[in-house]
Coordinates of all heavy atoms in Angstrom, one line a residue:
G1 N -35.6 41.9 -44.9 CA -34.4 42.2 -44.1 C -34.7 43.1 -43.0 O -36.0 43.5 -42.8
S2 N -33.7 43.5 -42.2 CA -33.8 44.3 -41.1 C -32.9 45.6 -41.2 O -31.8 45.5 -41.8 CB -33.7 43.6 -39.8 OG -34.6 42.5 -39.6
L3 N -33.3 46.6 -40.4 CA -32.4 47.7 -40.3 C -32.6 48.4 -38.9 O -33.9 48.3 -38.4 CB -32.7 48.7 -41.4 CG -32.0 48.6 -42.8 CD1 -32.5 49.7 -43.7 CD2 -30.5 48.6 -42.8
R4 N -31.7 48.9 -38.4 CA -31.8 49.6 -37.1 C -31.5 51.1 -37.2 O -30.3 51.4 -37.6 CB -30.9 48.9 -36.1 CG -31.0 49.5 -34.7 CD -29.9 48.7 -33.8 NE -29.7 49.2 -32.5 CZ -30.4 48.9 -31.4 NH1 -31.4 47.9 -31.6 NH2 -30.2 49.4 -30.3
L5 N -32.5 52.0 -37.0 CA -32.1 53.4 -37.1 C -31.9 53.9 -35.8 O -32.7 53.6 -34.8 CB -33.4 54.1 -37.8 CG -33.8 53.6 -39.1 CD1 -34.9 54.5 -39.6 CD2 -32.7 53.6 -40.2
S6 N -30.9 54.8 -35.6 CA -30.7 55.5 -34.3 C -30.6 56.9 -34.5 O -30.4 57.5 -35.6 CB -29.3 55.0 -33.9 OG -29.2 53.6 -33.6
C7 N -31.0 57.6 -33.4 CA -31.0 59.1 -33.4 C -30.6 59.6 -32.0 O -31.1 59.1 -31.0 CB -32.5 59.5 -33.6 SG -32.7 61.3 -33.5
I8 N -29.6 60.4 -32.1 CA -29.0 60.9 -30.9 C -29.3 62.5 -30.7 O -29.2 63.2 -31.8 CB -27.5 60.8 -30.8 CG1 -27.1 59.3 -31.0 CG2 -26.9 61.4 -29.6 CD1 -25.6 59.1 -31.1
A9 N -29.8 62.7 -29.6 CA -30.2 64.1 -29.3 C -29.2 64.9 -28.6 O -28.6 64.3 -27.6 CB -31.6 64.3 -28.6
S10 N -29.0 66.2 -28.7 CA -28.2 67.0 -28.0 C -28.8 68.5 -27.8 O -29.7 68.8 -28.6 CB -26.8 67.1 -28.5 OG -26.8 67.7 -29.8
G11 N -28.4 69.1 -26.8 CA -29.0 70.5 -26.7 C -29.8 70.5 -25.5 O -29.5 69.8 -24.5
S12 N -31.0 71.1 -25.6 CA -32.0 71.1 -24.6 C -32.8 69.9 -24.3 O -33.9 69.9 -24.5 CB -32.9 72.4 -24.8 OG -32.2 73.6 -24.9
I13 N -32.1 68.8 -24.0 CA -32.6 67.6 -24.0 C -33.6 67.2 -22.7 O -34.4 66.5 -22.8 CB -31.5 66.4 -24.1 CG1 -30.7 66.6 -23.0 CG2 -30.9 66.5 -25.4 CD1 -29.4 65.6 -22.8
S14 N -33.4 68.1 -21.7 CA -34.3 67.8 -20.5 C -35.7 68.0 -20.8 O -36.6 67.6 -20.1 CB -33.7 68.7 -19.4 OG -33.8 70.0 -19.7
S15 N -36.0 68.9 -21.9 CA -37.4 69.2 -22.1 C -38.0 68.2 -23.2 O -39.2 68.4 -23.5 CB -37.4 70.7 -22.8 OG -36.6 70.7 -23.9
I16 N -37.3 67.2 -23.5 CA -37.9 66.2 -24.5 C -38.9 65.5 -23.9 O -38.8 64.8 -22.9 CB -36.8 65.5 -25.2 CG1 -35.8 66.3 -26.0 CG2 -37.4 64.3 -26.0 CD1 -34.6 65.6 -26.5
N17 N -40.1 65.3 -24.5 CA -41.1 64.4 -24.1 C -41.2 63.3 -25.2 O -40.6 62.2 -25.1 CB -42.5 65.1 -23.9 CG -43.5 64.1 -23.4 OD1 -43.2 62.9 -23.0 ND2 -44.7 64.6 -23.2
G18 N -41.9 63.6 -26.2 CA -42.1 62.6 -27.3 C -40.9 62.5 -28.2 O -40.2 63.5 -28.6
M19 N -40.5 61.3 -28.5 CA -39.6 61.0 -29.5 C -40.1 60.2 -30.7 O -40.7 59.2 -30.4 CB -38.2 60.2 -28.9 CG -37.7 61.0 -27.7 SD -36.3 60.2 -27.1 CE -35.0 60.9 -28.1
Y20 N -40.0 60.7 -31.9 CA -40.8 60.1 -33.1 C -39.8 59.7 -34.2 O -38.7 60.2 -34.3 CB -41.6 61.3 -33.6 CG -42.5 62.1 -32.6 CD1 -42.0 63.0 -31.7 CD2 -43.9 61.9 -32.8 CE1 -42.8 63.7 -30.8 CE2 -44.8 62.5 -31.9 CZ -44.2 63.4 -31.0 OH -45.1 64.0 -30.1
W21 N -40.5 58.8 -34.9 CA -39.9 58.5 -36.3 C -41.0 58.8 -37.3 O -42.1 58.2 -37.1 CB -39.5 57.1 -36.3 CG -38.2 56.8 -35.6 CD1 -37.9 56.2 -34.4 CD2 -36.8 57.2 -36.1 NE1 -36.6 56.3 -34.0 CE2 -35.9 56.7 -35.2 CE3 -36.3 57.5 -37.3 CZ2 -34.5 56.9 -35.3 CZ3 -35.0 57.8 -37.5 CH2 -34.1 57.5 -36.4
Y22 N -40.7 59.6 -38.2 CA -41.5 59.8 -39.4 C -40.9 59.3 -40.5 O -39.6 59.0 -40.6 CB -41.8 61.2 -39.6 CG -42.8 61.9 -38.7 CD1 -42.4 62.2 -37.3 CD2 -44.1 62.2 -39.1 CE1 -43.5 62.8 -36.5 CE2 -45.1 62.7 -38.3 CZ -44.7 63.1 -37.0 OH -45.6 63.6 -36.2
R23 N -41.6 59.1 -41.7 CA -41.0 58.8 -42.9 C -41.8 59.5 -44.1 O -42.9 59.8 -44.0 CB -41.0 57.3 -43.2 CG -42.4 56.7 -43.5 CD -42.3 55.2 -43.6 NE -43.6 54.5 -43.9 CZ -43.8 53.2 -43.8 NH1 -42.6 52.4 -43.6 NH2 -44.9 52.7 -44.1
Q24 N -41.0 59.7 -45.2 CA -41.6 60.3 -46.4 C -41.1 59.6 -47.6 O -39.9 59.7 -47.9 CB -41.3 61.9 -46.4 CG -41.9 62.6 -47.5 CD -41.9 64.2 -47.4 OE1 -41.0 64.6 -46.7 NE2 -42.8 64.8 -48.0
A25 N -42.1 59.0 -48.3 CA -41.7 58.4 -49.6 C -41.9 59.4 -50.6 O -42.5 60.4 -50.6 CB -42.5 57.1 -49.8
P26 N -41.2 59.1 -51.8 CA -41.3 60.0 -52.9 C -42.8 60.3 -53.3 O -43.5 59.3 -53.6 CB -40.5 59.3 -54.0 CG -39.6 58.4 -53.4 CD -40.3 58.0 -52.0
G27 N -43.1 61.6 -53.5 CA -44.4 61.9 -54.0 C -45.5 61.7 -53.0 O -46.8 61.9 -53.2
K28 N -45.1 61.4 -51.6 CA -46.1 61.2 -50.6 C -45.8 62.2 -49.4 O -44.8 62.7 -49.3 CB -46.1 59.7 -50.1 CG -46.5 58.7 -51.1 CD -46.7 57.4 -50.6 CE -47.0 56.4 -51.6 NZ -47.3 55.0 -51.0
Q29 N -46.9 62.3 -48.6 CA -46.7 63.2 -47.5 C -45.9 62.5 -46.4 O -45.9 61.3 -46.3 CB -48.2 63.6 -46.9 CG -48.9 64.5 -47.8 CD -50.2 65.0 -47.0 OE1 -50.7 64.3 -46.2 NE2 -50.6 66.3 -47.4
R30 N -45.3 63.2 -45.6 CA -44.7 62.7 -44.4 C -45.6 62.0 -43.5 O -46.7 62.6 -43.2 CB -43.8 63.8 -43.6 CG -42.8 63.3 -42.6 CD -42.0 64.4 -42.1 NE -41.1 64.9 -43.3 CZ -40.1 65.8 -43.1 NH1 -39.8 66.2 -41.8 NH2 -39.5 66.4 -44.0

């Protein structure tokens, strides 16, 4: 199947360069 994740930023957004997605599974490192 498929999923779509979204992330909205607010605040000091003009300084943003990289936008990342990380994940962490149980018992594992991010």
Side-chain angles (χ1 to χ4, degrees):
S2 298
L3 282 174
R4 180 182 174 91
L5 305 183
S6 296
C7 176
I8 300 175
S10 60
S12 301
I13 55 177
S14 62
S15 62
I16 293 174
N17 184 4
M19 303 185 83
Y20 304 76
W21 286 99
Y22 281 79
R23 69 185 183 187
Q24 187 166 19
K28 294 188 177 181
Q29 289 189 331
R30 191 170 297 188

